[in-house]
């Protein structure tokens, strides 16, 4: 009888915490952008002992991720978990002082800018990727990352919520010299 009570309490706890992870808020918006980084130097080629060229492994494409949370100024949003394209990252945030948030054109002499976050009176924070030191992965966030390119789990008060973006928006690449 005692074991049955403990078992029911454990199941109720997992159902309750699972429901917490499934909540979303209408007063929090997520903006997510992917910016390719194009290297300026050509890939290195080395010659093996038998005279065959060997390309370096450093040819994978790199990307900048520009992710913003827009929330009512009356609430304090604390990001705790970030998934991008199925991969879990550590996360920190930086307050954005002024909106609209714009990305300048990568081409010199071009005045065109892309608006990343429109003008708002809400509080806007930029999410910064960090190396994952301790996995804080929740089953709900991992599951949501299967169908969405960006998943952010955040805390407001003592409750956890999540925001998702199904597809990252591609913006102009950065060309390194």
């Amino acid at each position: 009888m005692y074991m049955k009570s403990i078992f029911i309490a454990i199941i109720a706890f997992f159902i309750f915490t699972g429901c917490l992870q499934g909540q979303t808020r209408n007063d929090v918006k997520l903006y997510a952008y992917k910016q390719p980084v194009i290297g300026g130097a050509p890939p290195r080629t080395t010659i093996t002992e038998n005279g065959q060229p060997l390309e370096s492994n450093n040819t994978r494409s790199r990307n900048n991720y520009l992710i913003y949370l827009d929330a009512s100024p009356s609430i304090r949003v604390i990001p705790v978990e970030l998934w991008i394209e199925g991969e879990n990252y550590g996360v920190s945030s930086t307050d954005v002082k002024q909106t609209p948030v714009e990305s300048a054109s990568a081409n010199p002499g071009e005045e065109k800018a892309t608006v990343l976050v429109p003008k708002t009176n809400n509080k806007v924070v930029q999410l910064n990727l960090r190396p994952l030191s301790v996995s804080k992965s929740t089953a709900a966030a991992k599951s949501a990352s299967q169908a969405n390119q960006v998943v952010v789990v955040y805390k407001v008060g003592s409750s956890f919520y999540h925001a998702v973006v199904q597809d990252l928006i591609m913006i102009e690449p950065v060309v390194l010299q």
Side-chain angles (χ1 to χ4, degrees):
M1 183 69 168
Y2 180 72
M3 290 298 285
K4 187 176 180 182
S5 300
I6 292 175
F7 183 72
I8 291 172
I10 290 172
I11 289 177
F13 174 76
F14 282 113
I15 289 172
F16 180 71
T17 57
C19 291
L20 287 178
Q21 294 298 334
Q23 296 180 26
T24 58
R25 291 182 62 112
N26 292 334
D27 57 349
V28 176
K29 294 178 191 165
L30 179 65
Y31 299 94
Y33 302 90
K34 182 176 183 177
Q35 183 180 45
V37 177
I38 301 170
R44 284 190 199 171
T45 304
T46 55
I47 306 298
T48 62
E49 290 178 2
N50 20 349
Q52 298 296 321
L54 179 66
E55 293 270 334
S56 73
N57 291 342
N58 199 13
T59 58
R60 72 179 194 143
S61 63
R62 296 175 293 173
N63 297 296
N64 288 334
Y65 294 100
L66 304 169
I67 302 171
Y68 300 90
L69 273 176
D70 172 346
S72 169
S74 63
I75 62 172
R76 183 169 180 232
V77 175
I78 302 168
V80 293
E81 190 174 349
L82 176 62
W83 289 80
I84 300 176
E85 297 182 309
E87 199 169 326
N88 194 0
Y89 292 92
V91 63
S92 66
S93 63
T94 307
D95 290 343
V96 173
K97 303 290 184 207
Q98 184 177 347
T99 60
V101 177
E102 296 179 337
S103 173
S105 175
N107 301 323
E110 230 180 85
E111 296 287 326
K112 186 177 107 182
T114 304
V115 175
L116 304 178
V117 179
K119 180 141 183 77
T120 180
N121 291 327
N122 288 341
K123 181 178 179 182
V124 177
V125 294
Q126 181 173 7
L127 302 183
N128 307 306
L129 278 65
R130 299 281 180 239
L132 190 61
S133 57
V134 177
S135 180
K136 297 179 183 177
S137 174
T138 59
K142 187 173 185 176
S143 175
S145 72
Q146 303 295 318
N148 300 288
Q149 289 191 333
V150 178
V151 177
V152 176
V153 176
Y154 57 93
K155 187 176 179 182
V156 175
S158 61
S159 299
F160 290 90
Y161 302 91
H162 75 275
V164 299
V165 168
Q166 193 167 10
D167 295 310
L168 286 158
I169 298 172
M170 295 292 289
I171 59 175
E172 282 192 58
V174 172
V175 181
L176 302 176
Q177 297 294 330

